[in-house]
Amino acid sequence: MSSPHLFHIPVLGIGFSVTTPLAVAKYGISSVMSIIDDKLLEVLREQRLAAAGRPYVPIEEDEDDARARRITAWCDMVHQHVHEQFTALRASEFTEGGELARYFEMLPEGSPLRESYLAMRRATGRDRVARLQQQLRDAMRPGSIDVNIMAKVDKNNFHRDGTPMGPHDSDAQAALRGFANSRLRSGVVFSAGMNPRLYSYAASFADFYPDSGGAMKKRIIVKVSDFRSALIQGQYFAKKGLWVSEYRIESGLNCGGHAFATDGLLLGPILEEFRTRRVELFREAYTKYTQALTRIGHYVPRVMPPPIVTVQGGVGTAQEQSALLRHYRVSSVGWGTPFLLVPEATNVDPATRELLRAAGEDDLYLSGISPLGVPFNSLRGNSKDEEKMQRADAGKPGSPCIRKYLELNTELTEKPICSASITFMRKKLQTLKDALPGSDSFKAAYDKAVEKVCLCEGLITSALHAHDIRLPKISEAASVCPGPNLAYFSRISTLREMVDHIYGRANVMTDPERPHMFLKELRLYIDYWLNKVQESVSAGVHTPEFLATFRENLLEGIEYYRSFLPSFAEAGARLHRRITAELAAAEETLRGIVIPGLSTDEAEARLALVTV
C-alpha cells in the first residue's frame, strides 16, 4: 500500500467522491473516484481548469472515442493537480499548525513516520533538525488515486445512425481504456460482480503487467463478498497474466450504495476464512500468473507481489478498526459513509447533508429504487424520491433518460432501456393493467414499478451543486446512498476531526448505544432473511432449501461470534453482556421461524447440524 494511513475512502456513489483525491491525496490518504459518468468528469474538468487559470480543450461527445478520452483527460488532470499539491506541501515549512505538520499529525499512532516527526519536534541543533526534516520530506507519500468501474454497468453503445460501435466501446470497457491510458499510477476497483469480457480486455494494456522490477503502473483491485468469489476472480485474472493486487472485502448489507447480500455469510466468518486461507488464495493465483506470463513471453517477477486484503462496511470506532487490522491482518479499513458528513472531502449539497446529519436508523433503509434490480441503500425524504412520487401522482411516472448509463433492461423491448425511464414505465404499467385489471395485486405491482429512480442524475446532482454547476435538462433533485452506519454519526466534521476519530484521538460519533459493526450486520441479515421468508409465504419466491441454508449460515455466524467474544475484552464487561444477549436473541429469532415448504423433521435435522 502506498498510503502511510491504515484506512481508505471507498467510492461514494457517482459524484460524492469524484473529487475526493483532490482534497485528501496530498495528506497521504487513498480514495476512490467513480469514472462511470464521462459527461460529469468533462464539466468538472472544465471548471477545475478555469479556476486554475489553465486552458481547457473540450472533448465533444461526438468525437472519436470521446468517452475513453474524457476519462483519460480527467485522470491526467487529477494526477497533475495532486502532484502539484503534494510537491508544494513537501516543500513547505514545518510551522506550528501548518499544512506540513498536519500531514504527519494525522498519521496513526505508532506509525514510524509519525514517530520520526515527533522525534524531530523534540530534537535540538539547527543542523540535526534540518537533517531530520529532510528525511521526513523524503519519506512522505501521497494517497493513491484509485478509480471504480462497476462491472455490471457495461452497456453496449451505438452510433447515431443506429449501427453498433466497436467491440470495446461498451461503457465499462471504454472506462477501463480511459484509465489505462492515463498517467495515474494507481488501482482500478472492479465492483458489482464478475464481467469476463471486461476482465479479458484488461490484458490489452501494458500498464497492468509488471516491469523489470516487478512493479505495475496500474493495479487491479477486486471488490468481493466472500472467499470463493476472490478465489474465482483471482485465478481468472491470473490465467491471463494479470495479478489481483488487492481483494477488497465488503459487507453484503452493512454498506452504502448497492447491496450485494451473501446467502447469510457474515463478515466476521468471511474475514476469518481470508485470514486462515490467505496463503492458499495468493499462492494458487501466483502459480497460474507466472505460467501465463511465461506463456506470453513477459517478464516474470522473482517474488510474489505482496498479498493485500482490505475490508469495508459499517466500521465506526477506532476499536473496531484496530481489531480488524490486528486479528484479521487486513492492510487497510474502508471508511465511507461517515465521510459524507465531511464537507472538505465529499460533494454533498447542503440540504442533503442536513438530511444525512439528522438521519436515524429508521431513515436509512434498503430500497428497490435502483434500475439495476439490486437492493440499494437509501435515505428517506431525499429530494429525488420526492420528485419521483410527484411525477407518479401527476400521472407521469418515470424520468427522462438523458444520460443512459443504466439502459440495461430488455424485459419489454428488444433494445435495452432503463427501468426508471418514462418509456419503460409506460410499457410496464400498461402490461400490469392488462394482466391485473382492478385487482389488489395491481397496487403492489404498481408501487414496485414506480419505485425506481434515475440514479444517473440523482447521484451526480450533489456534485454539481457543490461546484455551482447547472446543466440543461438535468433535474436538481438528489439521491443519496449512505450505509446504515450513518445513523450513529450526526456531526458535520472536519477532515482532521474524522481522521482523529478513526485513530481514536477524538470522537465524532453521536450515539453511544451504537451496536458493534458485526452485530449491526447480523441484525440487517436477519431482517433481510425474514423478508425472504415472508416473500415465500405470500408468493413462493424462494425455495425452502435456500431459506434453510441461509439460516444455517447465520446460525454458524452467531456461533463464530460467541467464540470471538474474548477479542472484545478491552471493551469491558458491559459490552460482553450486551453482545451475549444480542446473539442469544438473534438465535432464538432464527430458530423460532417455520420455513414454508420445509417439513418439521427436515427442519429439525438441518438445525441439528448447526453447532449449538
Side-chain angles (χ1 to χ4, degrees), residues 3 77 82 129 163 169 186 287 304 314 319 388 411 420 470 491 509 528 537 539 554 565 580 589 591:
S3 170
M77 188 205 71
V82 169
V129 170
T163 58
D169 288 320
S186 61
T287 298
M304 184 176 73
Q319 291 76 20
K388 168 191 67 180
E411 177 188 350
R470 300 293 183 270
R491 270 184 55 191
M509 185 176 290
Y528 186 83
V537 171
L554 290 177
L565 269 175
T580 301
T589 296
R591 291 184 179 276

Side-chain angles (χ1 to χ4, degrees), residues 227-228 231 271-284 329:
F227 186 85
R228 181 175 177 273
L231 200 63
L271 285 167
E272 187 67 33
E273 186 169 17
F274 273 90
R275 186 179 75 88
T276 57
R277 299 180 65 186
R278 179 194 301 251
V279 173
E280 172 192 342
L281 173 65
F282 285 94
R283 278 187 179 170
E284 289 193 17
R329 303 200 307 273

Side-chain angles (χ1 to χ4, degrees), residues 51-96:
R54 296 179 178 177
Y56 161 71
V57 179
I59 302 172
E60 302 296 346
E61 196 169 349
D62 58 356
E63 291 183 28
D64 183 53
D65 204 22
R67 175 170 169 77
R69 289 171 52 220
R70 284 176 165 184
I71 291 168
T72 300
W74 171 258
C75 291
D76 285 347
M77 188 205 71
V78 174
H79 168 80
Q80 180 180 353
H81 285 214
V82 169
H83 174 73
E84 291 170 354
Q85 291 173 350
F86 182 71
T87 300
L89 176 64
R90 185 157 55 181
S92 64
E93 296 299 320
F94 280 93
T95 57
E96 186 79 26

